[in-house]
Amino acid sequence: MSRNQLDQSNTTYLLLHKDNPVHWYPWGPEAFAEAEATGKPILLSIGYSSCHWCHVMNAESYSDPETAALMNEHFINIKVDRDERPDVDLIYQSATATTGTQGGWPLNAFLTPKGVPYFMGAYFPNEDRGGQRAFKKLLADMSRVYRENPDQIALNADKVPQQLNEVWNRDSRGPLNIAILDNSALRIGQKYDVFYGGLIGPQKFPQPHMMELLFRAYLRNGISQFHQLTATTLDYVLLASLYDHVGGGFFRYATDERWTIPHFEKLTADNALLIDFTLLFWQNKGNTLCQTRIEDSVGWLLREMKVEDAFGTSLDSNSEGEEGRYYTWTEAEIDAALAGTFSQKFKAAFGISREGTLRGRNILRRTATQAPFPQGEADEALFAKQCGMLLAARQKRPAPMRDDQILADVNGIVITALANAGAAMRRNEWVTAAIKAFDFIVKALGDGNLLYHSWRAGKRGHVAFSDDYAHMARAALALWEATGDKRFLEQAKRWVHTLNEDFWDALGDGYYFTSHSGRSPDGPSTDDLRSKPTTSQ
């Protein structure tokens, strides 16, 4: 008899769904064999532990007995943690893009028993809303389409893999020169918001890689517009509500063009990338604001994200059943926590009001306030002390759930940021933390010259992907530069050798995301759906 099998899983996200009435399978051969045997299509749901809309859909649909009954009757249901299996997520997010459908998380993909999608989408509401059909109605439609229109399903099953292979296996070889980087910076800059920074649009992601591309174009060419776009974006990232002014660190993205209302999940990798870019800007400009944000954000990583000697994956956006509850304040809570310390001055500087900015609660910011940044030196010192008092008060609240899964690629990004920042800012304790994390990854996830992708509660997960080798090799080089210890250089060479031997695409150049020996060893055949090359360099 079928049942929910996620109780055998070892990731935070999958265990969150172990009590659903849905008969979830983990990704693997058993689920695909069952689909073949029963002739049922597959419903693949992909998410991650700190995703707000994943939690919403879980509460509305996956936990609902009526919805679960429809899923169990008509589909073989597979749940995937995209942090544990980024290869699976990459395939189906890419397939979503080729069909012109908006991807994201949770991703819900309706598949043939061979794993080929015939319909995909992200969040679906439990009732008809905003032009979207209710999830229960969609389930009925997708089951009926699969039964009654096999020719159309077969056509899609041929078309989607063909489209993916045209994208992934096109010949993109050619010389890499500065002109390509300059043209890329120009095209990206044309899509930037000159007033508030970031890419133009209703949602704002900080995109540190894009900021670095623009800033390095400025450093090469001296074109002031590149610097202006970068500086404007970084100002809003560091001063508006994307930044956690109380505890340090950055939220994932903002829901408005002025960076006022964030989604409150915190991803470890995003924070490390922002620390690394802010360090680059600080090294060039000597900006005190950048220095403070780096120090406080590293403090957050070391205080809240350490798992053993390495770093966990993310913090949830929700606590006490509400998104952002942990990070937001009523005016009365601010007054109580800052009693006797000129709370009125703090409220003017951080935009605190009785009405609040989100459901009657306040999100701290230093933009568009009565006392904008910077105030005088004494006032800024007072504000720093008051933020410390608020942090102490906040730590008494129920904290958001932490995903304590340790990922090789994420830790490589963090180690690089800590090593770079520690060396540049002469903070030896940061370099020491980076070395400890590196040694933990080698011990827990290493196997000779090979790596595993994930580790949790003493157990290794899937074998490593090319991103794991690339980021850990870069981390080793950063530690070699910071310490002069050649053991890090030698380890980087060994991982790059594995990358070249096991991931290189000899026909198209570039690296595959998964190794030649195991592109997708525990799912559908990779003859039709392949993990793409990650680079054409």
Side-chain angles (χ1 to χ4, degrees), residues 311-342:
F311 296 87
T313 303
S314 62
L315 287 182
D316 200 350
S317 58
N318 292 18
S319 60
E320 300 181 78
E322 182 180 328
E323 187 192 13
R325 180 77 182 186
Y326 185 72
Y327 301 102
T328 56
W329 306 81
T330 64
E331 184 182 28
E333 288 171 337
I334 294 286
D335 287 334
L338 301 183
T341 64
F342 303 102

Side-chain angles (χ1 to χ4, degrees), residues 48 56 167 182 340 372 458 494 503:
Y48 60 102
V56 172
V167 173
D182 290 340
R494 289 193 289 271
F503 294 87

Side-chain angles (χ1 to χ4, degrees), residues 33-255:
E34 184 68 13
E36 290 278 10
T38 61
K40 290 182 180 181
I42 292 167
L43 173 56
L44 171 67
S45 176
I46 304 175
Y48 60 102
S49 66
S50 60
C51 167
H52 170 69
W53 289 107
C54 298
H55 296 319
V56 172
M57 194 159 183
N58 183 29
E60 291 180 346
S61 296
Y62 305 143
S63 298
D64 173 55
E66 185 179 350
T67 304
L70 287 172
M71 295 172 67
N72 296 335
E73 180 180 359
H74 298 294
F75 299 93
I76 301 300
N77 304 289
I78 300 177
K79 195 55 137 157
V80 166
D81 180 349
R82 69 121 184 192
D83 287 326
E84 180 190 33
R85 294 303 302 264
D87 56 330
V88 177
D89 183 58
L90 177 61
I91 287 172
Y92 292 103
Q93 295 288 353
S94 300
T96 301
T98 65
T99 62
T101 305
Q102 183 174 352
W105 300 277
L107 182 69
N108 290 280
F110 295 87
L111 318 177
T112 71
K114 295 292 188 184
V116 182
Y118 64 92
F119 184 83
M120 292 167 288
Y123 164 78
F124 293 103
N126 61 336
E127 299 176 351
D128 291 342
R129 189 185 312 143
Q132 286 185 298
R133 287 177 64 74
F135 188 54
K136 284 185 288 190
K137 293 181 181 179
L138 181 66
L139 292 170
D141 289 345
M142 291 300 103
S143 175
R144 185 178 63 255
V145 167
Y146 186 79
R147 293 193 314 270
E148 298 178 1
N149 297 284
D151 292 341
Q152 184 63 44
I153 297 297
L155 180 62
N156 286 350
D158 289 337
K159 183 165 42 174
V160 172
Q162 180 182 354
Q163 290 173 331
L164 288 178
N165 280 319
E166 286 175 358
V167 173
W168 292 345
N169 297 316
R170 66 183 184 273
D171 189 350
S172 54
R173 289 173 290 182
L176 180 62
N177 54 50
I178 294 299
I180 294 175
L181 295 177
D182 290 340
N183 288 334
S184 297
L186 178 62
R187 294 189 178 213
I188 290 172
Q190 290 170 342
K191 298 180 182 297
Y192 256 56
D193 183 339
V194 298
F195 299 105
Y196 304 111
L199 291 173
I200 295 170
Q203 295 180 337
K204 290 288 181 71
F205 289 79
Q207 304 279 16
H209 288 121
M210 289 189 182
M211 283 197 286
E212 182 171 352
L213 182 67
L214 294 174
F215 190 63
R216 290 192 181 278
Y218 160 72
L219 294 178
R220 285 194 306 273
N221 304 320
I223 298 175
S224 61
Q225 287 89 338
F226 288 134
H227 179 270
Q228 178 186 355
L229 293 174
T230 305
T232 299
T233 303
L234 192 58
D235 275 347
Y236 274 93
V237 167
L238 300 182
L239 291 173
S241 300
L242 193 79
Y243 180 72
D244 178 3
H245 294 270
V246 169
F250 302 87
F251 303 115
R252 184 163 177 253
Y253 69 99
T255 62

